[in-house]
Amino acid sequence: MRWKRTRLAVLTVIGAGLLGGVLALVFTPLTRRLARWVTSDDWSALDDAARAAAVGQFRLAVVQVFAAVGAGIALTYTARTFRLTRRGQVTDRFTKALERLSSGEPYVRLGGVLAMEQIVQDAPDQGDHAARVLNAFVREQAPAAATTPVAATQLARKPDEQVQEALRALTVAGGRPWIWPVSI
């Protein structure tokens, strides 16, 4: 936490220094000297109106360069904020889907399975985690296999709707890169 405060203070000081430098460059006699340096030999051939125009153009160029740098920095931070916000939203949705999967009501669990599938469609990097959760859900909710020879001859009980939906989400055709083999 202390590192973040220190970093923010350093960035603030650097930003204030850059702003002060720009203001000093644009609104002091230094501008005239720099404009003279940029135009080099042509400065002596210019009349007063042309010199004033050259100084004005130099000021404009300096302001435009710093405005472009500022816009680039703002765009970088906006993109970073967007990524962090999106990651947080996906995490919240994942947590809510987990809560739904652990519910006692079948229709709520079904909603959790569908929410997991939607999360994977929206954020494919979460597919591995969703597949693990759905595999565990299927293993827990699927009917137990017959253990005696007499019970094995009877037809297996059909899995609940939410288990069928989880299996469908895990094995849907189309080649999802996040599919794990289901072992019941």
Side-chain angles (χ1 to χ4, degrees):
M1 188 66 151
R2 183 177 174 174
W3 165 249
K4 288 182 181 180
R5 275 191 249 148
T6 304
R7 191 171 95 181
L8 180 63
V10 168
L11 288 175
T12 303
V13 169
I14 290 172
L18 286 174
L19 181 61
V22 169
L23 291 175
L25 185 66
V26 172
F27 296 110
T28 63
L30 181 61
T31 304
R32 189 173 184 89
R33 288 186 183 175
L34 287 173
R36 176 185 264 173
W37 178 71
V38 168
T39 58
S40 64
D41 297 331
D42 296 338
W43 187 260
S44 58
L46 298 175
D47 61 352
D48 288 338
R51 287 179 183 177
V55 169
Q57 291 297 319
F58 183 76
R59 286 180 178 158
L60 180 64
V62 168
V63 169
Q64 287 175 341
V65 165
F66 279 96
V69 169
I73 291 170
L75 184 62
T76 301
Y77 278 109
T78 301
R80 181 176 177 267
T81 302
F82 175 77
R83 281 194 316 270
L84 291 174
T85 302
R86 182 160 171 78
R87 183 185 299 168
Q89 289 174 347
V90 169
T91 302
D92 289 343
R93 289 172 55 200
F94 199 89
T95 303
K96 288 179 183 177
L98 286 174
E99 290 172 1
R100 289 178 183 160
L101 284 174
S102 65
S103 172
E105 299 292 328
Y107 63 90
V108 176
R109 288 193 303 262
L110 180 60
V113 169
L114 295 175
M116 280 288 182
E117 184 178 17
Q118 188 62 46
I119 288 169
V120 171
Q121 289 175 0
D122 294 343
D125 58 321
Q126 295 295 317
D128 187 41
H129 304 297
R132 288 181 185 184
V133 168
L134 288 176
N135 275 332
F137 176 77
V138 167
R139 276 189 235 107
E140 180 183 310
Q141 298 291 326
T147 55
T148 62
V150 174
T153 59
Q154 298 174 349
L155 292 176
R157 186 171 65 91
K158 185 177 179 182
D160 293 333
E161 184 179 359
Q162 67 267 8
V163 173
Q164 291 177 8
E165 189 62 30
L167 288 170
R168 186 202 59 77
L170 284 168
T171 59
V172 70
R176 298 254 173 93
W178 54 271
I179 294 178
W180 275 35
V182 178
S183 58
I184 298 178

